[in-house]
């Protein structure tokens, strides 16, 4: 009888475990009052770390999550990955001691030109080597350029410069890449993938499940107030965006097509600059005629059902 109950428990709980979602978060500056929009105070950071600790979340290396995705292993609902973009000096001076105190690993994405040219607000290669003792080091590009404004050749040249700097100063090629400003499109992503990164990270809100694209991993930004708890509640909605390249024409968002589970009859659609709206889902098909001018340089579109969501990004073309 006990064995039967054990098997039943596996049947009941296995789908919940397999459907579990991990979360990747991104920070930039720490306790830097000059740049409040991209800075996280140490008070907030400590509160976030305490919440993770007290609620039994497992802060893991990015490489552990990527390995699980590659091997199609179950994703633990309590997995959290912490990343830091730009390699600002404030991470080394202010936040690194707290990461060390809690024993939380991280991935630091290095803006190599800033370090190579000794820009005053950024970490040196020696400081990056110290940080590498406690976390992983990823690539954030050489010039921190708006990649969608560059030609494919310029993107490749930028990547080669940054990779050369890694090899020269750290002795290895970086395995992971994060887009500057979180900006990319299909052309940019294709160009980045040619440089053999194991994973590529964006900056579009969303959780990570076994259906996530390893070359398009979502991250939540954590700046300002403590929003960690609410973001940990977000799960991944499986969405197939249909004909993405046709969504935007002549600076206007035209018609949005997407496929989700046919069990959903209603969903919410978010468009940057226009907010949320309720939409109908017919046999798993979302079709929304927008005819809206893009208001922002970066337009994000999200589909949401309950606490599940997934989004995509559009970057306004350079004129």
């Amino acid at each position: 009888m006990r064995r039967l109950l054990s098997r039943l428990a596996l049947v009941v709980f296995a789908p919940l475990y397999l459907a579990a979602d991990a979360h990747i978060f991104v920070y930039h500056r720490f306790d830097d009052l000059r740049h409040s929009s991209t800075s996280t105070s140490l008070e907030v950071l400590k509160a976030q770390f305490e919440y993770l600790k007290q609620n039994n979340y497992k802060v893991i290396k990015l490489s552990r999550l990527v390995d699980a995705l590659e091997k199609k292993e179950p994703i633990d609902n309590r997995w959290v990955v912490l990343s830091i973009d730009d390699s600002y000096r404030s991470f080394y001076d202010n936040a690194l001691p707290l990461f060390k105190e809690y024993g939380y690993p991280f991935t630091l994405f290095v803006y190599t030109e800033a370090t190579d040219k000794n820009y005053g607000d950024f970490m040196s290669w020696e400081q990056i080597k110290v940080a590498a003792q406690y976390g992983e080091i990823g690539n954030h590009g050489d010039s921190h350029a708006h990649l969608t404004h560059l030609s494919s050749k310029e993107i490749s040249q930028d990547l080669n410069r940054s990779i050369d700097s890694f090899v020269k100063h750290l002795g290895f090629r970086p395995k992971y890449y994060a887009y500057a400003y979180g900006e990319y499109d299909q052309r940019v992503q294709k160009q980045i993938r040619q440089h053999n990164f194991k994973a590529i990270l964006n900056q579009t809100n969303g959780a990570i499940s076994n259906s996530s694209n390893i070359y398009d991993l979502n991250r939540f930004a954590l700046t300002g107030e403590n929003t960690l708890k609410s973001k940990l509640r977000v799960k991944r909605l499986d969405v197939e965006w249909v004909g993405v390249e046709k969504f935007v024409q002549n600076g206007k968002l035209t018609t949005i097509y997407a496929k989700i589970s046919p069990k959903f009859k209603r969903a919410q659609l978010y468009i940057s600059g226009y907010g949320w709206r309720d939409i109908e889902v017919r046999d798993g098909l979302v079709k929304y005629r927008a005819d809206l001018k893009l208001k922002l340089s970066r337009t994000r579109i999200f589909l949401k059902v309950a606490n599940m969501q997934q989004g995509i990004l559009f970057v306004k073309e350079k004129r």
Side-chain angles (χ1 to χ4, degrees):
M1 182 66 179
R2 188 173 297 172
R3 184 176 296 175
L4 175 60
L5 288 174
S6 177
R7 288 178 179 175
L8 286 173
L10 285 173
V11 170
V12 171
F13 292 111
L16 295 177
Y17 182 66
L18 290 172
D21 292 11
H23 294 79
I24 306 176
F25 295 101
V26 55
Y27 297 97
H28 291 82
R29 303 172 188 265
F30 297 90
D31 245 9
D32 190 339
L33 299 179
R34 300 168 303 164
H35 304 279
S36 58
S37 64
T38 57
S39 182
T40 301
S41 72
L42 291 188
E43 179 183 3
V44 166
L45 184 64
K46 188 175 180 64
Q48 292 170 344
F49 283 7
E50 274 299 308
Y51 182 84
L52 294 173
K53 179 181 177 181
Q54 296 300 324
N55 290 276
N56 299 314
Y57 283 93
K58 304 171 186 176
V59 180
I60 64 170
K61 294 180 179 180
L62 174 60
S63 56
R64 176 68 186 97
L65 177 59
V66 171
D67 187 58
L69 291 170
E70 286 180 331
K71 296 177 180 178
K72 305 298 181 183
E73 294 177 352
I75 301 298
D76 191 323
N77 197 46
R78 298 260 169 197
W79 280 358
V80 168
V81 173
L82 303 176
S83 63
I84 301 99
D85 281 6
D86 301 321
S87 53
Y88 287 114
R89 177 72 179 263
S90 66
F91 167 67
Y92 184 83
D93 290 341
N94 301 333
L96 182 57
L98 200 60
F99 277 83
K100 290 163 60 177
E101 177 185 336
Y102 280 82
Y104 285 167
F106 53 84
T107 303
L108 176 68
F109 288 98
V110 176
Y111 164 20
T112 54
E113 180 183 271
T115 296
D116 284 337
K117 295 185 178 181
N118 299 312
Y119 295 167
D121 209 20
F122 296 83
M123 294 167 63
S124 69
W125 283 114
E126 287 305 313
Q127 291 167 340
I128 291 168
K129 288 178 183 177
V130 172
Q133 298 175 37
Y134 306 97
E136 299 175 319
I137 311 298
N139 193 323
H140 202 41
D142 184 61
S143 61
H144 204 274
H146 295 273
L147 297 181
T148 56
H149 297 172
L150 301 184
S151 68
S152 295
K153 181 180 179 180
E154 289 171 329
I155 293 171
S156 184
Q157 290 172 337
D158 186 274
L159 276 168
N160 287 333
R161 288 194 302 271
S162 63
I163 292 170
D164 287 346
S165 286
F166 265 82
V167 173
K168 177 181 178 180
H169 296 284
L170 301 180
F172 64 85
R173 290 176 61 94
K175 296 179 181 179
Y176 310 110
Y177 183 90
Y179 300 110
Y181 309 104
E183 294 181 356
Y184 68 107
D185 54 24
Q186 291 178 313
R187 178 185 65 89
V188 169
Q189 185 183 90
K190 181 179 179 181
Q191 195 66 30
I192 300 295
R193 287 188 62 175
Q194 291 179 4
H195 290 260
N196 299 316
F197 292 102
K198 291 193 69 174
I200 301 173
L201 288 73
N202 62 44
Q203 197 172 312
T204 300
N205 290 347
I208 307 298
S209 74
N210 284 112
S211 63
S212 295
N213 180 350
I214 204 167
Y215 299 110
D216 199 12
L217 294 177
N218 294 329
R219 297 186 293 172
F220 290 93
L222 288 177
T223 56
E225 296 181 1
N226 190 352
T227 57
L228 176 69
K229 186 176 179 180
S230 62
K231 289 174 179 176
L232 284 168
R233 288 197 292 263
V234 176
K235 304 299 180 184
R236 180 178 173 84
L237 177 67
D238 284 331
V239 180
E240 178 188 350
W241 303 98
V242 182
V244 172
E245 66 280 0
K246 298 180 181 178
F247 283 14
V248 175
Q249 302 288 335
N250 299 318
K252 294 183 70 175
L253 189 61
T254 55
T255 302
I256 298 170
Y257 290 95
K259 293 180 181 179
I260 61 176
S261 171
K263 69 181 180 182
F264 301 125
K265 305 304 177 186
R266 306 288 303 178
Q268 289 182 294
L269 176 68
Y270 174 85
I271 303 171
S272 296
Y274 294 95
W276 291 95
R277 59 205 64 205
D278 292 319
I279 58 173
E280 185 178 8
V281 182
R282 294 185 179 181
D283 298 321
L285 181 64
V286 172
K287 183 178 181 181
Y288 182 77
R289 298 188 184 281
D291 194 31
L292 298 171
K293 185 178 180 180
L294 300 184
K295 291 183 177 182
L296 307 173
S297 60
R298 283 170 280 184
T299 297
R300 288 181 170 87
I301 298 173
F302 290 95
L303 270 177
K304 179 179 178 182
V305 178
N307 66 333
M308 300 180 293
Q309 71 177 41
Q310 190 192 138
I312 54 175
L313 171 75
F314 292 95
V315 181
K316 188 178 291 186
E317 294 181 2
K318 184 179 181 181
R319 298 193 180 281

